[in-house]
């Protein structure tokens, strides 16, 4: 049997279609955690987050200090004396690694690097003093 140009075009088309179907099947099976699980409820509360963030901006640039050392990550709140601090470590690539830490009556938060996952993380820090609630986000790479 002689192979003509029509056979070659048909074969190339079928191989391309098979490749596309394979890629679609691979993409449908992969897990993507780029959005938080309770995204819609957080969207409704977003105005309160803006107010908390404005309170943090009014404190100035030196309100928070971050220090990453070999064994731990330090978060220091320099302005006002917080009653409670919550540090939420949000991993955009995998929500199974997300962790929430709370600290009471301290201005220094120390996170042990042996207990947290390495990689890109978004730190969501919220603290309150006597009458005001503050909020700050920082993207960080834990090494």
């Amino acid at each position: 049997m002689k192979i003509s140009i029509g056979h070659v075009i048909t074969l190339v088309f079928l191989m391309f279609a098979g490749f596309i179907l394979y890629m679609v099947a691979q993409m449908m099976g992969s897990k993507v955690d780029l959005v938080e699980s309770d995204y819609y409820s957080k969207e409704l509360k977003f105005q309160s987050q803006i107010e908390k963030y404005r309170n943090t901006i009014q404190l100035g640039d030196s309100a928070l200090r971050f220090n990453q050392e070999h064994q731990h990550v330090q978060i220091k709140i320099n302005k006002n004396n917080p009653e409670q601090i919550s540090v939420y470590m949000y991993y955009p690539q995998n929500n199974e690694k997300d962790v929430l830490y709370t600290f009471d009556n301290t201005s220094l938060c120390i996170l042990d690097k042996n207990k947290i996952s390495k990689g890109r993380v978004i730190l969501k820090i919220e603290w309150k003093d006597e009458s005001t609630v503050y909020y700050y986000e920082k993207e960080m790479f834990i090494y």
Side-chain angles (χ1 to χ4, degrees), residues 80-101:
N80 53 16
N81 193 12
E83 294 175 0
Q84 183 179 15
I85 304 171
S86 67
V87 178
Y88 181 63
M89 300 183 77
Y90 171 63
Y91 290 86
Q93 292 82 12
N94 188 352
N95 63 354
E96 295 172 359
K97 296 180 181 180
D98 294 354
V99 179
L100 175 67
Y101 295 100

Side-chain angles (χ1 to χ4, degrees), residues 88-138:
Y88 181 63
M89 300 183 77
Y90 171 63
Y91 290 86
Q93 292 82 12
N94 188 352
N95 63 354
E96 295 172 359
K97 296 180 181 180
D98 294 354
V99 179
L100 175 67
Y101 295 100
T102 56
F103 301 90
D104 292 323
N105 296 322
T106 183
S107 61
L108 179 65
C109 304
I110 298 176
L111 308 174
D112 187 9
K113 283 182 146 180
N114 295 325
K115 297 180 181 177
I116 58 178
S117 299
K118 309 292 188 261
R120 181 175 161 248
V121 64
I122 299 174
L123 294 173
K124 298 181 178 187
I125 304 162
E126 185 173 314
W127 73 97
K128 67 177 194 173
D129 58 11
E130 301 85 31
S131 62
T132 311
V133 180
Y134 303 92
Y135 178 77
Y136 187 75
E137 280 188 17
K138 178 175 177 69

Side-chain angles (χ1 to χ4, degrees), residues 50-63:
I50 292 172
E51 295 300 322
K52 293 174 191 176
Y53 188 70
R54 283 184 186 158
N55 293 337
T56 306
I57 289 175
Q58 290 174 353
L59 293 177
D61 291 338
S62 62

Side-chain angles (χ1 to χ4, degrees), residues 17-80:
F19 173 74
I20 295 298
L21 289 175
Y22 171 75
M23 292 303 290
V24 167
Q26 288 293 325
M27 296 300 160
M28 297 283 285
S30 66
K31 182 179 177 189
V32 179
D33 291 327
L34 296 179
V35 178
E36 295 178 6
S37 60
D38 54 350
Y39 175 78
Y40 292 108
S41 64
K42 287 190 177 187
E43 182 73 23
L44 297 174
K45 299 175 185 175
F46 192 65
Q47 185 60 39
S48 67
Q49 288 293 100
I50 292 172
E51 295 300 322
K52 293 174 191 176
Y53 188 70
R54 283 184 186 158
N55 293 337
T56 306
I57 289 175
Q58 290 174 353
L59 293 177
D61 291 338
S62 62
L64 287 163
R65 292 286 177 216
F66 298 90
N67 187 18
Q68 184 173 180
E69 295 178 359
H70 184 67
Q71 293 294 329
H72 56 273
V73 177
Q74 288 183 352
I75 302 168
K76 171 86 168 126
I77 298 177
N78 295 326
K79 305 279 180 156
N80 53 16

